[in-house]
Amino acid sequence: MLERAVDLLVIGAGPAGLAAGLAAAESGVGEVLLLDRMEEPGGILPQCIHNGFGLRYFREELTGPEYAIRFVDLLSKFPSVKVKTGTMVLELMKDHRVITASPGEGMVAYQAKAVILAMGCRERPRGAINIPGFRPAGVFTAGTVQRFVNIEGYLPGHRAVILGSGDIGLIMARRLTMEGVVVPAVLEIMPYSSGLTRNVVQCLEDFGIPLLLSHTVVKIIGKHRVEGVMVAPVDQNFTPVNAQAFTIDCDTLVLSVGLIPENELSLMAGVELDPATGGPRVDAGYQTSVSGVFACGNVAHVHDLVDDVSEESRVAGQMAAQFITKGTLVASPLKVQPGRNIRSVVPQRINSAQPTTLYIRVSFPERDVTLRVGESAVREKVVTPGETIRLIVQPEQLKSCQEFLPVSIEVEKHD
Amino acid sequence: MTELTCIICPLGCRIGVKPAAAGMKITGHGCRRGEDYARDEVTNPKRTLTSVVRMGESGQLLPVKTAGQIPKDKIFEAMAELKKIRVEVPVEIGQVIRGNFAGTGVALVATKRVVSN
């Protein structure tokens, strides 16, 4: 097996890997290698042909491919930064040794001084939610449909029911409708949509596509090809009320039922994961529990905006660069303590050496609440699980914190 | 009265628009941007179109977008126009594929760089 040495190895050349690699190169790291299993860099962005990307990061409204190329072009200015596509990482070890395979070079082992995990996430498939029925053709995850329609040039079917009203489900409802596919309904098991309001409006309302909240698919009908889905409303325990089930004719079922950070390599290297995010526990520098291994982007926690991915990945890249030159980083002794209506906070540990951006996700929607972070309080008119709260914490706000930084959503008591 | 949800910020104010003596009465908005959005939505709703076109020999797909917003009711007509287009390599980002696309006065531009087949 070929053996090579690099300074920084970045696993994944999607938006997280690209931003982290760029920040590391800008910070002076020598040999930076980005590896990606797809045929081109950009991660999920090349198939996200819709716009809405970069509103904060570039102050422009870009499509996915345009956003990705900004970073690819910036990276190309650094001769010691290489991006290898069509390369699969098979193993990651605690000591930063990485085993890879690619058609062009076969098996290659790299020894890196630091590693950045930027593998992104996977979609939950039918099996994860166990929808009854045979296994007919015509059941796809929304991202797969997006790949087929926007890159491969195929429609998945002619009549598609979509399960899940998260952003990817909403975006595909619109995309399919524009390409002549009939979308009879989008179903959502929760009593609210987890997607951005602008997507509910521009993807469903614009096209008159019904959104059935508190409904789910209880059976897929069809043996060789999907013929329809049996749909039922759910009660407050999310149990389907079978007595009220009805059938929607369709030849395609599109699943948009959750994203799972892809951390098989992280576990292999002994990285500790946070069950609340599904990703590695990270500190203020995005370093994981394994020294010299950093994580950023969707692999650490699922994001709503790519701008947030780029922002946090830059920090990871800068800190990886510091690790490579200095060997250690400022410790993050303050443990974030999620309280009422907080599903997750990233990073999970911080310090008071510099301002830190916290990415906070609530568990359920509420109106007119107060977000408490340590001593400080911020009024929020609306908080919802589908929209991450981004809050910059200043060192002064942490003065009274000893070991923990409590974060919670409080409902103000009115007289 | 027309009711719509504003998309300008995450608040998603529910806005009502009624014809009134001097034009339009807009209620429920939380800010000026929402008021403007509601007015546009009711008088002349527009959207940016994003889709794909085929490239010449390979049949590879090229993502494209309208350089500005086009009337919402022209979307399906515009989609049909896209089917007639074949683009040749090389293509640069922002390259105009069709000027005054589908009679909207707005250009159709490439959003991906394609160097060769």
Side-chain angles (χ1 to χ4, degrees):
Chain A
M1 179 155 50
L2 282 172
E3 301 269 348
R4 291 189 187 138
V6 293
D7 290 324
L8 175 64
L9 196 141
V10 183
I11 307 179
L18 289 171
L22 180 62
E26 286 169 351
S27 301
V29 176
E31 302 287 327
V32 180
L33 177 63
L34 277 66
L35 301 175
D36 201 286
R37 65 189 169 208
M38 296 303 285
E39 66 275 10
E40 59 177 321
I44 205 67
L45 293 175
Q47 66 182 58
C48 292
I49 62 159
H50 53 284
N51 63 2
F53 302 93
L55 280 164
R56 194 194 301 136
Y57 199 87
F58 292 115
R59 294 208 190 125
E60 290 178 61
E61 191 165 18
L62 302 174
T63 60
E66 289 170 306
Y67 191 93
I69 209 73
R70 295 275 170 111
F71 289 88
V72 171
D73 285 350
L74 287 167
L75 268 175
S76 66
K77 301 208 188 323
F78 293 91
S80 62
V81 176
K82 296 201 176 21
V83 181
K84 280 191 194 295
T85 54
T87 302
M88 189 76 179
V89 174
L90 299 175
E91 279 182 48
L92 168 66
M93 281 156 257
K94 242 188 182 64
D95 61 355
H96 314 153
R97 187 171 150 81
V98 174
I99 312 287
T100 71
S102 70
E105 299 187 297
M107 306 256 314
V108 181
Y110 292 93
Q111 183 59 56
K113 296 180 184 161
V115 174
I116 298 183
L117 305 172
M119 295 86 78
C121 55
R122 290 282 202 186
E123 298 181 281
R124 287 175 91 209
R126 174 190 175 174
I129 56 172
N130 264 324
I131 306 177
F134 287 108
R135 291 185 298 276
V139 181
F140 304 89
T141 54
T144 303
V145 174
Q146 191 180 54
R147 167 95 194 173
F148 273 124
V149 176
N150 295 338
I151 308 255
E152 308 288 339
Y154 291 96
L155 294 178
H158 298 292
R159 223 179 138 78
V161 168
I162 299 179
L163 177 60
S165 68
D167 290 319
I168 180 65
L170 299 177
I171 295 284
M172 288 322 291
R174 174 176 63 184
R175 186 80 187 99
L176 288 172
T177 303
M178 284 170 66
E179 289 290 353
V181 176
V182 174
V183 179
V186 173
L187 310 170
E188 169 58 56
I189 198 170
M190 301 302 281
Y192 53 84
S193 165
S194 60
L196 300 169
T197 304
R198 75 187 72 107
N199 284 333
V200 175
V201 173
Q202 296 203 322
C203 300
L204 300 187
E205 288 179 19
D206 268 13
F207 297 96
I209 298 172
L211 171 62
L212 302 180
L213 297 175
S214 300
H215 278 72
T216 194
V217 174
V218 294
K219 188 175 178 174
I220 298 175
I221 301 162
K223 197 163 183 188
H224 301 289
R225 177 76 202 196
V226 170
E227 288 165 17
V229 288
M230 189 158 287
V231 175
V234 298
D235 64 20
Q236 60 265 59
N237 299 315
F238 306 110
T239 304
V241 181
N242 288 317
Q244 289 173 36
F246 58 96
T247 301
I248 302 180
D249 289 339
C250 60
D251 63 8
T252 306
L253 175 62
V254 180
L255 302 175
S256 165
V257 294
L259 297 174
I260 314 258
E262 189 172 352
N263 281 288
E264 283 147 23
L265 292 173
S266 319
L267 290 171
M268 217 184 267
V271 167
E272 274 170 35
L273 302 187
D274 178 354
T277 55
R281 288 184 200 281
V282 293
D283 65 12
Y286 287 88
Q287 184 167 213
T288 67
S289 60
V290 174
S291 176
V293 175
F294 299 77
C296 54
N298 273 358
V299 80
H301 59 121
V302 175
H303 290 73
D304 321 311
L305 299 176
V306 75
D307 308 65
D308 290 346
V309 168
S310 300
E311 184 182 68
E312 89 177 7
S313 302
R314 281 195 63 79
V315 175
Q318 284 161 355
M319 299 314 273
Q322 232 183 79
F323 178 89
I324 289 169
T325 47
K326 293 189 191 156
T328 54
L329 295 172
V330 175
S332 293
L334 216 49
K335 199 162 179 283
V336 175
Q337 195 173 46
R340 183 188 172 280
N341 194 11
I342 298 291
R343 168 128 169 247
S344 62
V345 184
V346 176
Q348 286 85 347
R349 305 185 77 96
I350 67 173
N351 58 47
S352 50
Q354 73 281 307
T356 307
T357 303
L358 292 181
Y359 299 97
I360 302 164
R361 209 179 267 288
V362 301
S363 301
F364 52 88
E366 284 192 292
R367 290 198 165 240
D368 296 318
V369 291
T370 300
L371 168 64
R372 287 199 187 278
V373 178
E375 302 273 295
S376 64
V378 179
R379 295 282 302 154
E380 298 277 352
K381 279 200 188 154
V382 176
V383 294
T384 179
E387 305 202 16
T388 306
I389 301 168
R390 191 175 148 271
L391 187 82
I392 300 175
V393 176
Q394 301 295 336
E396 307 82 69
Q397 296 171 263
L398 302 172
K399 272 206 287 256
S400 64
C401 297
Q402 305 280 50
E403 209 185 324
F404 295 103
L405 175 68
V407 177
S408 65
I409 299 284
E410 306 297 332
V411 179
E412 292 307 302
K413 296 171 191 24
H414 296 287
D415 297 319
Chain B
M1 162 125 114
T2 306
E3 271 218 345
L4 51 92
T5 304
C6 181
I7 57 161
I8 301 290
C9 88
L11 276 186
C13 295
R14 200 79 187 136
I15 303 180
V17 184
K18 255 197 307 212
M24 242 181 285
K25 185 168 161 64
I26 297 176
T27 50
H29 54 284
C31 73
R32 179 57 192 272
R33 293 194 298 158
E35 192 186 348
D36 292 341
Y37 169 77
R39 188 171 286 112
D40 289 341
E41 268 304 278
V42 169
T43 52
N44 185 16
K46 295 199 192 138
R47 299 284 184 266
T48 301
L49 182 85
T50 56
S51 187
V52 293
V53 294
R54 294 263 178 200
M55 300 204 68
E57 286 159 38
S58 61
Q60 190 189 338
L61 294 182
L62 173 74
V64 293
K65 72 177 181 188
T66 51
Q69 298 200 308
I70 67 171
K72 191 172 142 187
D73 56 17
K74 282 220 153 202
I75 287 180
F76 285 101
E77 190 186 315
M79 289 298 295
E81 279 299 305
L82 290 177
K83 299 273 183 275
K84 303 177 187 170
I85 298 175
R86 281 286 179 280
V87 182
E88 300 300 328
V89 288
V91 184
E92 188 45 70
I93 295 196
Q95 180 176 318
V96 174
I97 306 296
R98 289 285 183 279
N100 186 18
F101 176 58
T104 60
V106 178
L108 183 75
V109 298
T111 57
K112 186 177 182 164
R113 175 187 304 145
V114 184
V115 168
S116 63
N117 284 319

